[in-house]
Amino acid sequence: MHAGVLGSPIRHSLSPTLHRAGYAAAGLSDWEYTAHEVDEGGLAPFVAGLDASWRGLSLTMPLKVAAFDVADEVSALARAAGAINTLVRTQAGWSAHNTDVHGIVAALAEAGAAHVSSATIVGSGATARSALLGLVGLGARRVTVAARTPSRAEALRDVGDVDLQVVPLREWASTGDRAVVSTLPGGPANAVAAGHTRGDLSGVTLLDVVYADWPTPLARAAAAHGATVVSGLEMLVHQAARQFELFTGATAPVEAMQAAGREALGHTPDA
């Protein structure tokens, strides 16, 4: 059986490491997982050319929206997120899912933030929608979005039954929420948010969705102010574990996948 990850660029994807570790731990010696450089224009022909041995596809940027055009059916969660990161072959064709939401929920729950009544999202890009759905799933009824461009965050108001507040990015650490998800990429944007870190953040759990070049400036700043910081690697592992289960029908060996990811990146659980 075959599965793989598609995207552009793809050479730095950690998905092959995670899925292959899962196959090894689960004893699935007849499964293979490979990475393929595919852009938006190449997605449809790539999928059309796959034989019956292909059971699933992990999708990264820039394919998460283009996948709507190749999916035969789309889960309600993927449709609400406006993003597809998983295609699973079924008797009806290719079934589309979003496992990023599960990854966010599981990473926060594992860090002790399994139930929240309010939360903050830092950033208003594509991942913010999945973060909002995840936080609502954890019980949040009020969510504050701290954004560099507040008008962009207004598009999130159609997501779920939640009281959505929008504030400038500089106020992210002042909301009083105990659960925070940063959806900012690494680099300058992350550093800008780090510069706005203030106050005592003891009791706050911050999930930073970035996993490369860890810890990020924001993660370092939040930890220095007392927050419990969770790497985006944990989100990545849990979303991959859900994909593993959708592809294979077997229970994902999450600990083995976590260990492989941490080793590949040189992370320790508390790094």
Side-chain angles (χ1 to χ4, degrees):
M1 296 298 175
H2 207 119
V5 59
L6 315 181
S8 182
I10 201 63
R11 64 185 180 276
H12 296 306
S13 174
L14 200 61
S15 292
T17 296
L18 301 179
H19 283 265
R20 290 169 185 169
Y23 297 161
L28 300 178
S29 59
D30 57 341
W31 279 78
E32 183 180 8
Y33 190 99
T34 50
H36 301 267
E37 184 81 15
V38 178
D39 61 16
E40 291 168 288
L43 179 60
F46 184 94
V47 172
L50 298 178
D51 63 30
S53 70
W54 283 78
R55 311 311 300 168
L57 298 171
S58 308
L59 305 177
T60 185
M61 297 303 291
L63 304 178
K64 293 187 177 185
V65 175
F68 281 95
D69 293 331
V70 302
D72 295 292
E73 54 186 16
V74 180
S75 73
L77 186 59
R79 199 170 293 283
I84 294 167
N85 78 327
T86 307
L87 289 172
V88 183
R89 189 189 289 277
T90 68
Q91 292 183 342
W94 290 99
S95 178
H97 302 266
N98 181 302
T99 67
D100 287 334
V101 176
H102 170 76
I104 290 167
V105 169
L108 285 171
E110 194 171 62
H115 304 285
V116 300
S117 58
S118 65
T120 295
I121 297 171
V122 186
S124 57
T127 307
R129 185 170 289 264
S130 293
L132 180 53
L133 288 166
L135 290 167
V136 169
L138 287 170
R141 292 295 171 259
R142 178 179 61 79
V143 175
T144 300
V145 180
R148 290 181 296 172
T149 308
S151 59
R152 188 178 181 186
E154 295 296 327
L156 297 171
R157 292 195 181 279
D158 65 346
V159 178
D161 182 17
V162 61
D163 176 14
L164 188 74
Q165 306 294 320
V166 180
V167 300
L169 181 64
R170 64 178 179 273
E171 297 181 17
W172 80 263
S174 305
T175 63
D177 292 324
R178 294 306 185 188
V180 179
V181 179
S182 171
T183 65
L184 297 172
N190 194 282
V192 168
H196 294 306
T197 306
R198 60 177 62 87
D200 181 8
L201 297 182
S202 299
V204 173
T205 299
L206 167 70
L207 168 61
D208 187 335
V209 301
V210 178
Y211 62 86
D213 299 320
W214 186 263
T216 65
L218 179 57
R220 288 196 299 269
H225 284 73
T228 296
V229 177
V230 182
S231 164
L233 173 62
E234 306 308 315
M235 169 190 166
L236 185 69
V237 167
H238 284 291
Q239 67 82 25
R242 178 56 62 88
Q243 289 180 336
F244 178 101
E245 294 177 344
L246 288 169
F247 296 166
T248 69
T251 299
V254 176
E255 291 184 1
M257 297 171 77
Q258 282 177 323
R262 290 169 180 168
E263 181 179 3
L265 294 175
H267 286 201
T268 60
D270 58 351

